[in-house]
Amino acid sequence: MAPKKLDKLYFSSSDRSNREVIRRLKEEGKIRKIGPKLFTSINNEKELETYLKKNWSQVLDKLYPGSHISFRTAFEFKPSEVGYLFLTSSSERLIEYPGLKIKFVTGPKTISSDSSFIGSLQVSSFERAILENLSTVSSKWSFRNIDQIEIEKKLEEIMKVKSEEGLNLIRENSREIKKELGLEKAFKK
């Protein structure tokens, strides 16, 4: 009988049987802790980083259920070039895993125009993501936002497909949510 194949990731939880499995596998040297509430059976660091970047939404959903994906992450639906994921939260914090940095940014909770993503995750609407990315940030966190040029390119693509009516709808929807989000200055851009 072949030994049971290990999962690549193990997520710690309050479930007693889950904690017992993790404790046993860790004692046997089959898994290791790589950050808060996350364990892996992957030994190669590059392979682990690649795996986490590819499976970022699963990591967020399991470890930070109900999180709100925002800023450049809501626009690109992937980690930034340097592995950052941006989430809107009630408090600021940074949590790091190999190849993945989860930055919680203080901001408004999910609003009616936002959408469900995967599992319990929420994601900024396209209009909210535009406003978030046009908002002013300190130079330290400037990579939180995509360039205005990238936003303009995306809007040009939308205009080609949905004509001027599509752009007007985006503008109108942005106008409706700007005050609720406190992003009036970003709307003026």
Side-chain angles (χ1 to χ4, degrees), residues 104-142:
F104 290 86
V105 179
T106 304
K109 294 180 180 183
T110 300
I111 60 173
S112 62
S113 63
D114 296 330
S115 303
S116 294
F117 186 51
I118 292 171
S120 67
L121 298 175
Q122 300 293 311
V123 64
S124 292
S125 64
F126 181 69
E127 293 84 359
R128 179 176 178 165
I130 288 174
L131 291 172
E132 289 170 338
N133 279 287
L134 290 173
S135 64
T136 306
V137 295
S138 68
S139 58
K140 177 183 176 186
W141 291 106
S142 61

Side-chain angles (χ1 to χ4, degrees), residues 52-71:
L52 288 176
K53 284 180 181 177
K54 183 178 175 185
N55 294 282
W56 65 272
S57 59
Q58 175 193 12
V59 171
L60 289 182
D61 187 44
K62 293 281 190 181
L63 296 178
Y64 309 102
S67 292
H68 184 99
I69 299 166
S70 54
F71 297 94

Side-chain angles (χ1 to χ4, degrees), residues 46 51 62 88 161 163:
K46 277 290 181 207
Y51 188 82
K62 293 281 190 181
T88 298
V161 174
S163 74

Side-chain angles (χ1 to χ4, degrees), residues 8 12 14 21 54 63 66 78-79 82 95 98 106 120 128 134 139 142 147 158 161-162 167 171 178 183-184:
K8 293 185 188 250
S12 181
S14 59
V21 167
K54 183 178 175 185
L63 296 178
K78 65 179 185 178
V82 291
I95 299 171
T106 304
S120 67
R128 179 176 178 165
L134 290 173
S139 58
S142 61
D147 294 329
I158 289 170
V161 174
K162 296 185 178 182
L167 283 183
R171 185 179 301 115
K178 68 180 181 182
L183 294 172
E184 293 93 339

